[in-house]
Amino acid sequence: MERTILHCDLNNFYAGVACKKDPGLRGKPVAVCGNPAHRHGIVLSKSQEAKKYGVKTGDVLWEAQQKCPGLIPVLPDFPAYLKFSREVQNIYRQYTDQVEPFGIDECWLDVTGSRRLFGDGAHIAEELRHRLVREMDLTISVGVSFNKIFAKLGSDMKKPDQTTLISRENYQKSVWPLPVEALLMVGRSTKKKLNQYGIYTIGDLARGSVSALEKLLGINGPKLRRYARGEDDSPVLRESELPEAKSVGQGITCTRDLRTPEEALQIIHFLAQRVSRRLRENRVMAGSLSLYLRRSDLSGLCHQLHFVQPCRSSQELAQAAWELLEQHYDWELPIRAVSIQAGSLRTEDGPCQQALWDLQLPLEQQERLEAVADQLRRRFGPDSICRASLLSRPAVPEIYQGDFSVLPGSRV
């Protein structure tokens, strides 16, 4: 049976949620962006009214305000985005259990088995668009096709609040003239390589030589050619089939550059506390830890270590990150941003080899201690209990919204 795949993309999602929270913003040019005082003044989302002035995602706030003098900047609210994203997905699941998130505001739906109940793909897409406007006051663009790649492409072709059908009969006419970078997985670097060999459109890619593309891009060359020819058979995964997250990370751009190891240690403890909490919430342990540093000149470096035994204690995570910093950073330049990432995740109930000469608190006691601290933070706020060194956080933004860096589509 020919598959029917939908790709639903919430239009200007962050700005739409801002207008839901504050109806007074409706019909006005709105840009969701970070706080310039905290060095996060980048436009994350914009309303249609701001878009008419040429405001784009990724613009620096002052550039966006030059394009649109009446622009209204709004701080992001990630808990609200997660809440509304889940509510939208619950509506999708009323039509099919095959709903695969692709980031916080996009989902694929396989409605092949739902057509007898709800009509063909285009009809379901129209019904979803009208329901989201009526029930959520949000709009989506929907691509309808016979595979995931073309469905995703379709949702990008007409915005906002539109449905685009790409069928086997019309895809060569509608898809092949598009620029090659419109295809999923063709980024800036891949586009440059393809353009150098005279491949400018998706049709050029579809007609390309398999051997030449493999020589140019490795195994991705033939894969992209198949995508361009509509030969994608990857399934839409159910929630139970989604891959487990490979890592849990937390990063922050500091409000000022870090110039001493003591300042860096303060940020490391701040990040480790949050990563540790999320590891416990999701009942996983970390087998490795990576430390990412961005210098004041925006250059970056990354170092990693593996734990002798899996852990998730904030103390152990911070100690590991501190060791990496001491071993590898020369302090020729101050540090602008810090991230730590716990990787090689495993379930908490798996076998665990204890260290022979462990002089720290027993594992069970340390776990209980940090679990109680988590409960206190949930009840009285994130800063109700913390290390004394974090009582004055000069380099941490007052409104900290970075606690959602889990890989898109994962279950952690």
Side-chain angles (χ1 to χ4, degrees), residues 369-405:
L369 180 64
E370 298 208 3
V372 170
D374 289 342
Q375 293 174 7
L376 291 173
R377 294 187 187 105
R378 282 194 293 269
R379 184 174 179 181
F380 299 108
D383 298 325
S384 57
I385 180 171
C386 65
R387 291 181 170 272
S389 62
L390 298 180
L391 290 176
S392 60
R393 298 186 311 225
V396 176
E398 294 177 4
I399 301 176
Y400 189 74
Q401 299 283 10
D403 203 12
F404 299 94
S405 51

Side-chain angles (χ1 to χ4, degrees), residues 119-340:
D120 61 21
H123 182 82
I124 295 174
E126 291 296 293
E127 188 170 324
L128 284 172
R129 286 201 304 110
H130 294 309
R131 281 195 63 181
L132 286 183
V133 170
R134 184 174 65 252
E135 299 176 24
M136 300 288 297
D137 204 16
L138 295 170
T139 65
I140 55 172
S141 293
V142 187
V144 183
S145 192
F146 54 93
N147 64 53
K148 291 170 67 175
I149 298 297
F150 282 176
K152 162 67 175 168
L153 190 61
S155 69
D156 292 332
M157 290 174 67
K158 295 179 184 178
K159 292 178 179 288
D161 198 20
Q162 299 287 328
T163 298
T164 302
L165 175 63
I166 299 177
S167 65
R168 290 194 182 275
E169 292 72 32
N170 73 4
Y171 79 87
Q172 293 187 17
K173 183 178 179 181
S174 60
V175 170
W176 282 10
L178 297 175
V180 69
E181 63 268 25
L183 194 66
L184 188 65
M185 292 180 59
V186 178
R188 186 179 304 174
S189 176
T190 301
K191 172 196 171 184
K192 184 177 180 181
K193 290 180 181 180
L194 291 171
N195 288 172
Q196 288 174 344
Y197 282 80
I199 299 175
Y200 295 96
T201 69
I202 296 177
D204 295 336
L205 180 61
R207 292 184 288 265
S209 163
V210 175
S211 58
L213 288 169
E214 186 172 16
K215 185 177 180 180
L216 179 63
L217 301 174
I219 60 174
N220 285 330
K223 179 189 293 186
L224 290 176
R225 181 179 181 272
R226 291 196 298 273
Y227 288 170
R229 297 168 67 89
E231 297 170 1
D232 167 43
D233 59 359
S234 57
V236 176
L237 301 178
R238 295 175 173 85
E239 185 176 14
S240 61
E241 298 169 333
L242 292 174
E244 298 288 349
K246 297 180 180 179
S247 63
V248 173
Q250 182 74 68
I252 187 172
T253 298
C254 303
T255 56
R256 59 178 176 78
D257 291 342
L258 308 178
R259 300 183 179 277
T260 67
E262 292 74 20
E263 291 178 322
L265 180 59
Q266 187 181 47
I267 298 300
I268 284 173
H269 277 299
F270 178 77
L271 299 174
Q273 178 177 293
R274 281 152 176 77
V275 172
S276 175
R277 171 175 57 81
R278 288 163 53 207
L279 289 171
R280 283 190 296 278
E281 287 175 349
N282 293 281
R283 306 183 66 180
V284 292
M285 310 283 285
S288 65
L289 182 130
S290 299
L291 174 68
Y292 299 86
L293 301 172
R294 186 172 295 278
R295 302 181 182 93
S296 57
D297 64 353
L298 301 185
S299 62
L301 70 159
C302 172
H303 296 283
Q304 184 184 66
L305 61 73
H306 290 269
F307 295 114
V308 175
Q309 61 187 87
C311 75
R312 61 185 173 195
S313 159
S314 62
Q315 174 64 29
E316 292 180 89
L317 296 175
Q319 181 63 35
W322 173 247
E323 290 176 4
L324 289 172
L325 181 74
E326 279 194 312
Q327 293 172 15
H328 300 289
Y329 201 67
D330 55 20
W331 291 101
E332 290 184 2
L333 290 172
I335 297 173
R336 175 184 174 88
V338 183
S339 297
I340 64 173

Side-chain angles (χ1 to χ4, degrees), residues 107-121:
C107 285
W108 278 294
L109 287 67
D110 188 333
V111 296
T112 307
S114 308
R115 293 182 303 199
R116 290 188 179 181
L117 291 174
F118 303 109
D120 61 21

